[in-house]
Amino acid sequence: MPVPHIRRWKPLAMTAAALLVGITVPAAADAATSAPTPGAAPVSAYDDTYYQDALGKTGPELKSALHTIISDQTKLSYDQVWDALKVTDEDPANSSNVLLLYTNRSQSKGSNGGDPDQWNREHVWAKSHGDFGTATGPGTDIHHLRPEDVSVNSTRGNKDFDNGGSAVGEAPGNFTDSDSFEPRDAVKGDVARMILYMAVRYDGEDGFADLEPNDKVDNGSAPAIGRLSVLKQWSDEDPPDAFEKNRNDVIFDQFQHNRNPFIDHPEWVEAIW
């Protein structure tokens, strides 16, 4: 029987993420807005250049325009992903560590590997959903690859995303059952926006399956992940914070040179789906 739990959504700028951009979060008070990352162009500047062909569009036209825009990218090998994640997911409070997605544990960058308490590469869009494995392209796209504890990664497996389940002992705030996984509140929106990025980026070209979200679980090896209605709710209730925005900038500036549009424009989730 599922264990009931209370969801508490993170403020727009978490204290840990705030350290990344040098802002101060008052004690016992939620920050109303996130400060921009130093050196990063504001979204309006990207609108004038990067997103100019998508502006004013909705539905399939917007999705198609964004696909064309974000498909212009540098692709990494699966080995290169290790080093990239040490930069994209660096703990803003400790430059020697990365932050793990589900556990939120700060762990040494050098402790990556296959042992249960090391960290490895979590495919947020499970690589079996579309059978792309670790192939260069969707299998190595760091917009949806995150550091995670090896055993917690195994617990998530290739399950779809949904609310409910029993608590994951090694990752407080996460829940799972036989066919779905619910991440902790602070990264629910992050997970949703990574899934929706993948659905726009990989549409059946490049020799890979057309990835699409749907509103069910237990999708198996089909190129689909659900539940879309829950992912939309998570994206709405957990907007991008400073850590997620910085990660998008780092991927764009240093590695793939493309962006997750739903971090820059969360309103485009509803405009497409």
Side-chain angles (χ1 to χ4, degrees), residues 21-79:
V21 293
I23 59 177
T24 301
V25 178
D30 290 346
T33 58
S34 297
T37 305
V43 171
S44 58
Y46 286 124
D47 287 351
D48 292 339
T49 55
Y50 191 72
Y51 292 121
Q52 61 181 338
D53 292 335
L55 300 181
K57 297 178 180 177
T58 60
E61 288 188 351
L62 175 58
K63 186 181 179 186
S64 177
L66 291 176
H67 168 75
T68 299
I69 293 167
I70 67 177
S71 293
D72 183 8
Q73 70 178 99
T74 298
K75 297 177 181 178
L76 306 181
S77 71
Y78 200 43
D79 283 341

